[in-house]
Amino acid sequence: MAASAPSSSSGGDPDPNSTNLRPPSSNYDWSGVAHGCTRKLGMKICGFLQKNNNVDDKSGIVGFFNDQQPSKSIFTQDNERESRLRRTETDFSNLYARDLLPAKNGEECTIQFLLEVVDILTNYVRKTFDRSTKVLDFHHPHQLLEGIEGFNLELCDQPESLEQILVDCRDTLKYGVRTGHPRFFNQLSSGLDIMGLAGEWLTSTANTNMFTYEIAPVFVLMEQLTLKKMREIIGWPNGEGDGIFSPGGAVSNMYSVMVARYKHYPEVKIKGMAAVPRLVLFTSEHSHYSIKKASAALGFGTENLILLSTDERGRVIPADLEAKVIDAKQKGFVPMFVNATGGSTVYGAFDPINEIADICEKYNLWLHVDGAWGGGLLMSRKHRHKLNGIERANSVTWNPHKMMGVPLQCSAILVREKGLLQGCNSMCAGYLFQQDKQYDVTYDTGDKAIQCGRHVDIFKFWLMWKSKGTIGFEKHIDRCLELSEYLYHKIKNREGYEIVFKGEPQHTNVCFWYIPPSLRGLPDGPERRERLHKVAPKIKAMMMECGTTMVGYQPQGDKVNFFRMVVSNPAATRSDIDFLIDEIERLGQDL
Amino acid sequence: MAASAPSSSSGGDPDPNSTNLRPPSSNYDWSGVAHGCTRKLGMKICGFLQKNNNVDDKSGIVGFFNDQQPSKSIFTQDNERESRLRRTETDFSNLYARDLLPAKNGEECTIQFLLEVVDILTNYVRKTFDRSTKVLDFHHPHQLLEGIEGFNLELCDQPESLEQILVDCRDTLKYGVRTGHPRFFNQLSSGLDIMGLAGEWLTSTANTNMFTYEIAPVFVLMEQLTLKKMREIIGWPNGEGDGIFSPGGAVSNMYSVMVARYKHYPEVKIKGMAAVPRLVLFTSEHSHYSIKKASAALGFGTENLILLSTDERGRVIPADLEAKVIDAKQKGFVPMFVNATGGSTVYGAFDPINEIADICEKYNLWLHVDGAWGGGLLMSRKHRHKLNGIERANSVTWNPHKMMGVPLQCSAILVREKGLLQGCNSMCAGYLFQQDKQYDVTYDTGDKAIQCGRHVDIFKFWLMWKSKGTIGFEKHIDRCLELSEYLYHKIKNREGYEIVFKGEPQHTNVCFWYIPPSLRGLPDGPERRERLHKVAPKIKAMMMECGTTMVGYQPQGDKVNFFRMVVSNPAATRSDIDFLIDEIERLGQDL
């Protein structure tokens, strides 16, 4: 088994196990010292906390600090301490998961192991924000599968030592992608929020489940209060209504279609889709593909999802909606549901909600706003007007894990009418949702979900909100929008660039072609289009192989591949935008 | 804002911010010292790692260790160090989330803050495994909402200080439930696996998304390899097939119904349920309610889910399945899907898969095995025979987050035929699943999911498997089964107990009534039943209020409330089983 020999380590830290003497030379690697410090902390905490420790026997502990002369330098002292530490280090190679808690006397080992892991993680955090590090160290699947420098992904019958496990952790991070790096612009979710990270660490440690108040009292209440706050911000009177956190925007959007169907045809729950007329749904041709996934999964069929035309900037044309509603009715279909997108995936377009809401009211259609990407703008007094009319929606998807920088996963489905989620999904399982508990069981909200067990997604978000305040989110959003304005103005008239749609973007999405010098003289036509289509993928591939930055690209309709730049990363600055443009030009100039 | 004053702390640690002098008295609280140690570690790491630190200026660092005389005790030294620490501590009350990375010079603050959080978490871990602590500190929803000891759940416009955030973290844990406590038996998921915890911490730090190889190369490969291993263990030739990790067993079961429908009627994806005959599904009356949720959500309707009778122990009677299939066909319905449960939620029953598979083959029905709870037994050479025939299933749900002790969420849906998941769910979004990338895009598996973004659930599981080996999981499972055998034999003939179903349980579920002395003389009849029905809820309520242990109860069919004991917690021992029985008797004797 190649991996049993500890080998590479993330980012070039010296292997602490091989460092015995640490001369105070100016070339000394300080991160190694810090590494040693964490180990020492492990020793200290473990020593102090060890349950059966004889508290009166202070000699050992005193010695821990006292075995040094004032004349000695820190390094000598360090070496003296190392004699304790070395024992511990040796231990990791002879220690296994079975030696951790709940093993007898496993506390010391457990705390030390966790602190070692934290040391790896805090190193990773530091590097994530350090612009001199790469965004990624790209390897092809077959390379990783073959095992690079002993990093063996295969699972075995026999256990690995804790030492090897720590190496595996370093390698996992080493060959991954730093999505929090200031120059990672590849997805709508980017950045590494420290408070969110702390929240996730706590959530994992609490390791509970959202289905009942009984086993998640604090988290269940946090979810309720946060959802109420979100509904207030949407503008529903007194924040009334309902909602739940779901495993992502696609599932939130699926909820919206389910709830709409339940509202209009509650009999579907029992009798199925056979019991209702042919229902049709409407969404923009620029909307997220999850609406299509939902119509396939829930039994509507994708051909009963009618795509709406958009203007040049990707916004639904309300007149087209009305025409298609009338047309569907004339064909004998029953229009039921309209999705308006609040921040489309590629263009960042906001559909005109008020005008769509007028049509929905006129024809008695459920109005859902997919604000997975754009919902965050509700937190900004400057930008929330882009979602004007959202208070008229029957349901809203809003992913704090996108524009608000909350770690994945964190997505909410919010519903204006209370009781629908419960009515639609509840099955009243007796073993979980007993009605004869000693507390108010209306707080057992699990039966509203299509899930049974449900991960705690709320705490990191709640903690971020507490720590930043509403105004903190607002600042973050305003800043991201400013950065994309900066980018837009920078490339608008720059040689070698073409903007995909005219005018300032509504969201942080800036869509553009980079035209290499060799294509600049070519007239528009099939040859130019064909060659231009290949430019973005080539530049992107080189970016990834260099590891310098990452940005998305795609075709859209009849438009060939273009870059879609988005900013949601709080670490990004103008210099990173400049870097991206320089990098595109550096890599693309000879194409 | 009541919460702005730091107040309570988890489990009685002294508030480190108010501790200036630490006399070496015998009453000294050692956990406080350890707390101080972590702070010091923070100082040290931060000091060393501070990017702009003047490496040549060793005086400060040397002084950090050298400003002490050999004659001084540890406590005096501690106080001297406190002078540095106090500054830092003061800082937390004047520091805010905005001071953390990516803030300029935010590194020191970030690392210190994270280490403070880790200190809180490792304290929580220690207490979780400590039988002298409570399982929970119960409060009613209104009490927590009112704000206990300043713990304010409400969200505000203005930010809180980092000091207050740390208090919030402690309070969140304090008022939660220790699901890893050796005496927590309330759910199928229990225990706190240290390796899984480390894996989750790393996952949160990497904060990426499973949709493409591009941004989750290592995790995507880990998922593929692990799913293959699981298929091998199921017994599918060469581990061929397909699969994906989903947000819980309910969603995995929903996948199975979707894929079955796609296999039999691929046109549903486009045309919807209106295009197909009336399809019916079959599942045991003891099966998990998620099958019913799926039939409602996907447009079948719950009345088209036919419930199968079981024997006295909760296992499907195959003849009943065949009779109901024939009956449905005679009524003109089309039988399509059968769910066999491998480890039912309440009784822990295993349906006879081979006999069910015979019928499924005869009538061309999709066979799904819901092994959410029982799938883990496949890892045990001693117990896997209970799932004999699973290799004949078309799909399998298997939740490592239940019997295998992996932290929530970790659930897999495995499908024997490759390509169905993709065919059923793919929508080929151009912005995400570009076909002109530089690497082998068959590794971009995201389009198989009903989700778009997908949380990384694989790493903790992979790390646990690496660290324990297959044999480690086997040992854990055998041990849990032994413990429930122990419980079964302990109460089988004990006065005051009645077992709900005869014979040794197949899984770790032991279902029983406790009969208080006052009911023991009563003849069976409405009065006894009515009174017995109230016993378990009363005992459970008292358990929760005492905080000593937690175990589930429910009615089932015509059976009044009974306890369902399950063991999946690796920390549980025979003494904890004994404790549970003692506690039930202590609390129930006067009912």
Side-chain angles (χ1 to χ4, degrees), chain A residues 514-535:
Chain A
Y514 170 71
I515 321 286
S518 68
L519 293 187
R520 288 182 200 164
L522 280 184
D524 196 13
E527 191 203 335
R528 186 178 188 271
R529 285 173 50 82
E530 203 178 300
R531 287 176 61 185
L532 185 56
H533 189 57
K534 291 178 183 156
V535 168

Side-chain angles (χ1 to χ4, degrees), chain A residues 258-278:
Chain A
M258 288 170 66
V259 170
R261 180 175 66 184
Y262 180 76
K263 172 70 178 172
H264 285 263
Y265 298 96
E267 61 269 34
V268 170
K269 184 177 178 180
I270 293 164
K271 296 184 174 300
M273 291 292 276
V276 292
R278 189 162 156 186

Side-chain angles (χ1 to χ4, degrees), chain A residues 1-7 146-152 156 160 164, chain B residues 466:
Chain A
M1 199 175 73
S4 59
S7 48
E146 284 157 11
I148 297 171
E149 297 179 9
F151 183 30
N152 179 3
C156 299
E160 279 183 357
Q164 181 59 43
Chain B
K466 273 281 191 192

Side-chain angles (χ1 to χ4, degrees), chain A residues 100-104, chain B residues 125-131 178-185 190-194 405 468 476 479-480 483 567-577:
Chain A
L100 301 169
L101 283 171
K104 201 162 179 256
Chain B
V125 169
R126 282 190 308 108
K127 284 178 189 150
T128 289
F129 290 93
D130 178 355
R131 290 183 174 77
R178 297 191 211 276
T179 58
H181 194 288
R183 290 168 185 166
F184 176 84
F185 303 111
S190 65
L192 180 59
D193 187 275
I194 300 299
K468 293 171 200 295
H476 164 65
R479 225 183 130 268
C480 290
L483 274 180
V567 184
S568 64
N569 189 336
T573 62
R574 289 189 176 199
S575 72
D576 300 308
I577 304 285

Side-chain angles (χ1 to χ4, degrees), chain A residues 30 55 68 214 293 449 540, chain B residues 30 55 68 214 293 449 540:
Chain A
W30 288 87
V55 177
Q68 56 204 23
E214 186 173 322
K293 286 213 178 194
K540 170 73 177 278
Chain B
W30 288 88
V55 178
Q68 55 204 26
E214 188 172 319
K293 283 213 179 194
K540 171 74 177 276

Side-chain angles (χ1 to χ4, degrees), chain B residues 258-525:
Chain B
M258 288 171 66
V259 170
R261 179 174 67 182
Y262 180 74
K263 172 69 180 174
H264 285 264
Y265 298 96
E267 62 269 33
V268 171
K269 184 176 179 181
I270 294 164
K271 295 185 177 298
M273 290 293 276
V276 292
R278 188 161 156 190
L279 306 176
V280 289
L281 320 170
F282 301 87
T283 195
S284 142
E285 58 192 17
H286 273 247
S287 69
H288 191 259
Y289 68 101
S290 54
I291 303 288
K292 207 169 162 190
K293 283 213 179 194
S295 48
L298 303 179
F300 293 87
T302 54
E303 72 177 16
N304 295 309
L305 173 67
I306 296 175
L307 295 184
L308 304 174
S309 304
T310 64
D311 64 17
E312 195 261 347
R313 302 189 50 166
R315 295 171 300 199
V316 156
I317 299 165
D320 187 60
L321 168 62
E322 183 156 19
K324 283 173 175 162
V325 168
I326 292 169
D327 182 57
K329 286 165 82 83
Q330 281 171 348
K331 286 178 180 153
F333 308 153
V334 178
M336 188 195 83
F337 171 97
V338 178
N339 172 59
T341 304
S344 65
T345 311
V346 178
Y347 281 19
F350 288 81
D351 290 339
I353 303 177
N354 265 319
E355 290 164 80
I356 294 171
D358 290 342
I359 297 166
C360 288
E361 281 170 17
K362 186 168 166 189
Y363 296 96
N364 188 30
L365 308 174
W366 182 279
L367 172 58
H368 175 66
V369 173
D370 176 6
W373 171 225
L377 269 61
L378 291 168
M379 307 295 281
S380 160
R381 281 163 287 192
K382 188 172 169 192
H383 295 286
R384 65 167 288 141
H385 69 89
K386 293 167 187 173
L387 291 143
N388 275 353
I390 195 170
E391 70 283 356
R392 297 171 67 187
N394 299 96
S395 57
V396 171
T397 290
W398 177 353
N399 286 12
H401 76 216
K402 291 199 166 83
M403 196 59 206
M404 293 168 76
V406 180
L408 276 161
Q409 59 190 41
C410 192
S411 169
I413 171 70
L414 300 136
V415 182
R416 195 169 64 193
E417 185 178 330
K418 208 168 178 165
L420 290 180
L421 269 174
Q422 183 79 19
C424 177
N425 295 314
S426 70
M427 295 294 163
C428 306
Y431 77 96
L432 199 52
F433 306 113
Q434 304 93 334
Q435 296 303 299
D436 49 7
K437 293 180 183 174
Q438 86 270 34
Y439 61 83
D440 179 355
V441 294
T442 60
Y443 288 92
D444 285 356
T445 50
D447 213 14
K448 289 199 283 203
I450 55 167
Q451 302 174 263
C452 171
R454 192 158 60 91
H455 187 259
V456 176
D457 296 333
I458 186 60
F459 181 68
K460 58 195 164 195
F461 183 31
W462 181 89
L463 199 69
M464 283 174 69
W465 203 322
K466 273 281 191 192
S467 70
K468 293 171 200 295
T470 313
I471 59 160
F473 283 123
E474 179 177 48
K475 262 185 211 161
H476 164 65
I477 282 152
D478 288 351
R479 225 183 130 268
C480 290
L481 269 293
E482 274 165 37
L483 274 180
S484 56
E485 254 176 73
Y486 172 77
L487 171 62
Y488 171 72
H489 288 289
K490 185 182 171 104
I491 61 173
K492 194 171 53 163
N493 299 313
R494 192 181 178 94
E495 196 189 353
Y497 290 83
E498 280 177 32
I499 300 286
V500 172
F501 58 85
K502 280 184 196 123
E504 274 198 26
Q506 292 185 283
H507 204 323
T508 71
N509 308 50
V510 180
C511 296
F512 61 91
W513 289 282
Y514 170 71
I515 322 285
S518 68
L519 293 186
R520 288 182 201 163
L522 280 185
D524 196 14

